[in-house]
Amino acid sequence: KAVSDLMEACSHARANAILNGTPTDLVIRAGDGSISVQPAGGGVSGSASGGSVSGSTPGGGVFSARLSESIVIELAEINFMNIMDLEEARVRFSPNGTCYEFRMVLFQPKTGERRLVQTEVTTGLVDVESDPRKFLQVLQ
């Protein structure tokens, strides 16, 4: 469910940016595990990395979900910057279909399963890798 929600959020952000012709953000709040899609902005850029911290309030977006408490986020990066300690981070999707580089590894301790969810920057499409042998090096 967590992977599905994350993929759906990215899909909504990409579609919204393209169809409305305005940048759209996937907003990730580590504190409560919420993800949402909102119009771009509301954050203060965290350098050229694209990560941001913001005081904007939840809601007003086109999609929102909350990751299960049983899911552990082992890695979260935007443009190769670790966002694990940020209160809020934003992955920008542009009207031309591109997006920030985004990677997240989700871990389910009960089953030992891991999934790498990542965006392809030139298309804004999401890819999921379920074979940890192909991505465990990113955790090291």
Side-chain angles (χ1 to χ4, degrees), residues 36-132:
S36 62
V37 175
Q38 300 179 10
V44 178
S45 272
S47 78
S49 68
S52 66
V53 179
S54 168
S56 65
T57 57
V62 295
F63 176 87
S64 64
R66 188 171 310 255
L67 300 179
S68 168
E69 291 180 13
S70 67
I71 299 296
V72 175
I73 298 173
E74 290 189 319
L75 172 90
E77 296 178 340
I78 297 175
N79 292 341
F80 304 104
M81 183 181 107
N82 183 337
I83 61 167
M84 295 288 285
D85 294 329
L86 297 180
E87 181 180 319
E88 178 180 275
R90 291 174 174 261
V91 181
R92 177 76 36 95
F93 288 79
S94 300
N96 66 0
T98 63
C99 69
Y100 290 165
E101 175 84 23
F102 171 65
R103 297 191 310 176
M104 182 177 280
V105 175
L106 302 173
F107 176 58
Q108 171 50 271
K110 288 182 182 178
T111 63
E113 293 179 78
R114 285 182 172 81
R115 298 290 183 270
L116 170 63
V117 179
Q118 58 188 347
T119 57
E120 204 294 313
V121 296
T122 59
T123 64
L125 297 175
V126 181
D127 180 51
V128 177
E129 180 57 63
S130 59
D131 184 352

Side-chain angles (χ1 to χ4, degrees), residues 28-35 58 66-67 87:
I28 303 160
R29 290 187 180 83
D32 64 2
S34 68
I35 54 175
R66 188 171 310 255
L67 300 179
E87 181 180 319

